[in-house]
């Protein structure tokens, strides 16, 4: 450990292992999941009370957008459009298309619209669903 005497200099310099030890007193904030109580409807005949929690992922993933060329040239997200593969073609899917395809609902709900293979899931989040404590 060394001390620098310069004005506005570092007070202390640590080795890597010493820095890790000093920084270990900080810990990540623990965020408690927020409950989302609602009714799950399956068809028109079955409706049950549930509590949903957003599934947490501790892994942070970054996305890089590249052209499909030999150099894999990186592009900004603003310069891209969404598309889906249909056979060997890629079909563009604009924001207007996305708004028209959105499910219209009458308020807070959680409905089963259908079932699909996990590989075709296009959502951005997952929910864990439980029965309410008093049920």
């Amino acid at each position: 450990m060394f001390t620098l005497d310069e004005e506005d200099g570092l007070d202390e310099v640590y080795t890597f292992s010493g820095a890790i030890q000093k920084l270990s007193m900080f810990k990540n904030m623990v965020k408690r999941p927020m409950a989302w109580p609602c009714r799950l409807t399956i068809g028109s005949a079955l409706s049950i009370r549930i509590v949903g929690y957003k599934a947490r992922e501790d892994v942070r993933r970054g996305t890089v957008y590249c052209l499909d060329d030999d150099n894999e040239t990186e592009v900004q997200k603003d310069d891209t459009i969404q598309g889906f593969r249909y056979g060997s073609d890629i079909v563009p899917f604009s924001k207007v298309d996305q708004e028209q395809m959105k499910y219209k609902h009458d308020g807070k709900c959680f409905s089963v619209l259908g079932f699909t293979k996990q590989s075709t899931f296009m959502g951005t989040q997952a929910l864990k669903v439980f029965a309410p404590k008093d049920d």
Side-chain angles (χ1 to χ4, degrees):
M1 186 164 29
F2 303 100
T3 302
L4 298 177
D5 294 329
E6 297 176 16
E7 187 175 326
D8 296 320
L10 297 172
D11 293 331
E12 297 175 355
V13 177
Y14 296 94
T15 63
F16 183 73
S17 59
I20 294 295
Q21 183 180 6
K22 290 288 184 183
L23 291 172
S24 66
M25 67 179 156
F26 298 105
K27 57 183 176 180
N28 293 336
M29 290 179 51
V30 177
K31 295 179 184 175
R32 295 186 58 213
M34 214 41 166
W36 186 64
C38 63
R39 298 194 75 77
L40 168 66
T41 57
I42 302 174
S44 59
L46 182 59
S47 177
I48 55 175
R49 292 183 333 139
I50 61 165
V51 177
Y53 293 91
K54 189 186 261 189
R56 291 180 40 111
E57 281 191 30
D58 293 334
V59 177
R60 301 239 184 231
R61 290 181 263 174
T63 303
V64 177
Y65 300 93
C66 298
L67 293 176
D68 189 19
D69 59 4
D70 293 336
N71 298 330
E72 294 186 351
T73 310
E74 188 173 332
V75 295
Q76 298 298 318
K77 183 178 181 182
D78 298 339
D79 297 332
T80 64
I81 60 170
Q82 188 172 7
F84 293 97
R85 188 172 297 277
Y86 183 74
S88 61
D89 299 327
I90 296 178
V91 179
F93 192 73
S94 69
K95 297 276 186 198
V96 174
D97 296 330
Q98 190 174 1
E99 286 299 318
Q100 290 177 348
M101 294 290 292
K102 271 190 177 175
Y103 176 70
K104 279 65 170 182
H105 57 83
D106 296 329
K108 189 172 165 181
C109 67
F110 192 77
S111 299
V112 175
L113 302 176
F115 298 93
T116 185
K117 295 178 184 176
Q118 185 176 4
S119 61
T120 60
F121 175 70
M122 297 184 306
T124 56
Q125 68 178 356
L127 293 174
K128 293 183 178 181
V129 178
F130 302 95
K133 286 185 179 182
D134 59 350
D135 207 18

